[in-house]
Amino acid sequence: MTTPPLPEPAFPHLDSMLSRRFGKEVANYFSGSPLNRVSFLRTDYTFLSLALKHPTTSFLLFNSLNPLAKDPSHLSFASYTDVRPLIGENPYAKSEEQLISEYNSTTTIPQLIFLGLDERNKQGLTYNIYTGSPCFALDVTPKGSVTSQAESLIQSMQSRGLNFLEGRIQAALPAPDAAIYAQARALLDWNARNPFCAQCGQPTMSINGGMKRTCPPKDMASLGGAIGGNVAAAPTERPDCATRKGISNLCFPRTDPTVIMAVVSPDGKRVLIGRQKRWPPYWYSTLAGFVEPAESVEEAVRREVWEESGVKLGRVVIHSTQPWPYPANLMIGAIAQCIPGGDEIVLKHDPELEDARWAELEEVREALRVGTSALGGSAQEGYKEGNLRLPAGTAIANQLLTAVVNGFVGEAPRI
């Protein structure tokens, strides 16, 4: 599988004081979306109603979090006419307040998310000062009271030669499509994982264009409990819930910060790499781990590296970041340097790694040239069996290692 080109950073050719001192910004795969999210319009149901039916509007369909596509390198989008039998004439016809007051937990509402306006299309919807083609994500997984409508829509798409891409990671899409896919998948997954209120256990409903979930005060259905028997009845008051008190006390999409780091030896001539037991032979990558509460990014980098490898770090520098929609991570890429005398590898703390070792920069440079691909994929021409394998260019680990072998930790100030 050919690795697609990475997205261009914002204003790549702009000369500035920051770019002269810190170097060119690095944009990673799954970033660089062409959509303007116009987040402030998510509560404007007049706008959402217009966006829903505009001729240039596109819907990215997901079945069990698998996106609709022509092939692994090309997403495919549906039209409003295609999805209307599933979502109805206009789910934004009533105000958010009215929809909350009429909430019925026995009614299945297909998850629809407004992603943004694609400003590349100057002939798209114009609303106030904003112009672009509206883009939505829609979960078409057959479920509940809309099972038959969802199945019909899926069959209609498949009759056109389209399919839903299976597999956990989609890394063959062009960068703009990959960013749209990442946003859509992360938000659909978050909504699916949060059908109940974390405070009171009652069912929640999606609002704000799919970007929030709220715990309605009333339910048009009779509920014996959080999941209880569903028998239609007059509106019933639900138990008090702390999420209905205070300011904006709703459920918002979560993003889990994760550090991933290229660690350089004290002399700057080696880089630390590790491997998990489940990986194919010869595969290594940079170390990574979650940021814990009340912990800075720099502290998380030092802690994770010590826990997994025993190596002790000094200076930590942020290099770049990468959205990772599996399910909702923000990979915070760092480059760090080991302190003098702190380079001994000890794997007895955290058993996550099968092996960790120091690799010479030339070995890493050669692996980046001919030994990269998705996990388990084929290497490039010129690779010798038994040599080091590394992640593909769509992974931030690749960008961190590339920066190191290209002299990031050199004499010239970069960051």
Side-chain angles (χ1 to χ4, degrees), residues 14 27 52 76 84 120 142 150 156 158 179 226 230 234 275 277 280 300 311 331 334 348 352-353 361 369 408:
L14 179 67
L52 187 77
S76 187
R84 182 173 54 190
R120 294 174 297 182
S156 173
Q158 291 174 334
N230 296 329
R275 61 171 278 110
K277 187 176 182 179
V311 171
M331 309 296 290
K348 66 181 181 181
E352 181 175 342
L353 296 181
L361 294 188
R369 188 179 71 85
F408 188 91

Side-chain angles (χ1 to χ4, degrees), residues 5 149 293 340 409:
Q149 295 93 325
V409 191

Side-chain angles (χ1 to χ4, degrees), residues 259 295-303 313 315-318:
V259 290
E295 183 178 50
S296 71
V297 170
E298 291 83 358
E299 288 173 320
V301 169
R302 296 187 184 98
R303 175 184 55 77
L313 302 184
R315 182 75 165 97
V316 176
V317 174
I318 307 300

Side-chain angles (χ1 to χ4, degrees), residues 213-281:
R213 298 194 70 85
T214 189
C215 183
K218 297 180 180 180
D219 194 344
M220 296 294 288
S222 222
L223 295 177
I227 304 178
N230 296 329
V231 180
T236 56
E237 294 286 341
R238 300 171 75 176
D240 287 339
C241 181
T243 64
R244 301 188 206 116
K245 303 173 183 178
I247 301 175
S248 299
N249 206 351
L250 301 168
C251 182
F252 295 88
R254 64 180 287 172
T255 295
D256 301 322
T258 306
V259 290
I260 181 168
M261 41 276 173
V263 175
V264 181
S265 61
D267 62 5
K269 297 180 180 180
R270 298 170 296 158
V271 62
L272 181 66
I273 53 176
R275 61 171 278 110
Q276 298 182 16
K277 187 176 182 179
R278 63 183 179 85
W279 291 357

Side-chain angles (χ1 to χ4, degrees), residues 108-334:
T108 304
I109 302 176
Q111 185 61 59
L112 181 64
I113 296 173
F114 172 66
L115 300 177
L117 295 175
D118 189 339
E119 295 181 321
R120 294 174 297 182
N121 186 355
K122 304 306 180 184
Q123 305 304 314
L125 170 67
T126 295
Y127 188 79
N128 294 335
I129 63 173
Y130 316 105
T131 299
S133 295
C135 186
F136 291 83
L138 176 63
D139 184 5
V140 301
T141 307
K143 63 182 71 172
S145 57
V146 295
T147 296
S148 61
Q149 295 93 325
E151 289 176 342
S152 295
L153 179 53
I154 291 172
Q155 293 170 3
S156 173
M157 294 298 108
Q158 291 174 334
S159 70
R160 303 176 191 180
L162 307 174
N163 287 290
F164 293 89
L165 293 178
E166 296 185 356
R168 190 176 76 88
I169 296 177
Q170 305 300 335
L173 299 170
D177 283 359
I180 294 173
Y181 156 78
Q183 179 191 1
R185 188 194 190 282
L187 290 172
L188 287 174
D189 189 39
W190 169 75
N191 275 280
R193 288 172 184 261
N194 292 273
F196 300 106
C197 177
Q199 174 66 30
C200 70
Q202 296 292 328
T204 57
M205 69 176 292
S206 176
I207 59 173
N208 202 235
M211 287 293 294
K212 295 181 184 177
R213 298 194 70 85
T214 189
C215 183
K218 297 180 180 180
D219 194 344
M220 296 294 288
S222 222
L223 295 177
I227 304 178
N230 296 329
V231 180
T236 56
E237 294 286 341
R238 300 171 75 176
D240 287 339
C241 181
T243 64
R244 301 188 206 116
K245 303 173 183 178
I247 301 175
S248 299
N249 206 351
L250 301 168
C251 182
F252 295 88
R254 64 180 287 172
T255 295
D256 301 322
T258 306
V259 290
I260 181 168
M261 41 276 173
V263 175
V264 181
S265 61
D267 62 5
K269 297 180 180 180
R270 298 170 296 158
V271 62
L272 181 66
I273 53 176
R275 61 171 278 110
Q276 298 182 16
K277 187 176 182 179
R278 63 183 179 85
W279 291 357
Y282 320 123
W283 280 81
Y284 282 78
S285 184
T286 55
L287 276 56
F290 288 102
V291 180
E292 295 190 350
E295 183 178 50
S296 71
V297 170
E298 291 83 358
E299 288 173 320
V301 169
R302 296 187 184 98
R303 175 184 55 77
E304 283 288 343
V305 170
W306 178 81
E307 288 180 353
E308 294 185 2
S309 71
V311 171
K312 300 175 182 178
L313 302 184
R315 182 75 165 97
V316 176
V317 174
I318 307 300
H319 173 269
S320 61
T321 59
Q322 179 180 36
W324 192 252
Y326 305 106
N329 300 110
L330 177 62
M331 309 296 290
I332 304 171

